[in-house]
Amino acid sequence: MITASLKNYRQSPRKVRSVANLVRGKSVNEALNTLNFLSKKAADPLFGLLMSAIANAKNNFQIEKDNLMINELRVDAGKVLKRRMPRARGNSYPINKRTSHVVLVLIPKVEKTEKKVKKIKDEIKIENK
């Protein structure tokens, strides 16, 4: 498993999750293409995180990006920066500036055709017995 993480990204997890849901479970090439053309603020940091995970795969495990897919893309809540906004008559209202922690896990692709061939061979073996 190849991992990369982004900590304390200054955008709310709810907004980052909307972008993460678009690329979860896709191949790396499809995810890069999607993030490259998406007009959301969270797309750029997720693109950089995905590039970091690809570099980790290439340098540490000698796996090319064509053979990778996104196994897990988790967006968790980080620290909340609590601020106050002055209001009328000496009051103040709270403002929560939320942060996100993003964890990305890549796995090598398993070819579906290999699985099908193995399943067919196993069925033939059972029939011959």
Side-chain angles (χ1 to χ4, degrees), residues 8-9 12 14 18 22-26 30 32 35 37 41 44 49 53 57 63 68 80 83 91 94 96 115 117:
N8 295 316
Y9 172 55
S12 71
R14 184 176 181 178
S18 68
L22 292 174
V23 296
R24 187 178 291 122
K26 290 186 176 181
E30 289 177 36
L32 287 173
L35 290 172
F37 290 103
K41 181 185 170 191
D44 287 337
L49 182 65
I63 301 174
L68 291 170
V80 178
R83 303 292 183 256
N91 291 334
N96 292 331
K115 284 185 175 181
V117 168

Side-chain angles (χ1 to χ4, degrees), residues 80-84 95-97:
V80 178
L81 306 174
K82 303 204 173 185
R83 303 292 183 256
R84 306 297 287 186
I95 294 177
N96 292 331
K97 295 182 178 263

Side-chain angles (χ1 to χ4, degrees), residues 108-122:
K109 275 187 194 174
V110 177
E111 294 295 327
K112 293 179 181 178
T113 55
E114 291 176 9
K115 284 185 175 181
K116 288 180 183 178
V117 168
K118 186 175 181 182
K119 187 175 181 181
I120 292 170
K121 285 182 181 179
D122 290 341

Side-chain angles (χ1 to χ4, degrees), residues 95-109:
I95 294 177
N96 292 331
K97 295 182 178 263
R98 301 180 187 278
T99 62
S100 303
H101 295 326
V102 184
V103 177
L104 175 66
V105 178
L106 300 178
I107 56 170
K109 275 187 194 174

Side-chain angles (χ1 to χ4, degrees), residues 49-62:
L49 182 65
L50 186 55
M51 292 304 290
S52 175
I54 292 168
N56 291 343
K58 188 167 185 170
N59 291 328
N60 300 340
F61 300 100
Q62 290 74 40

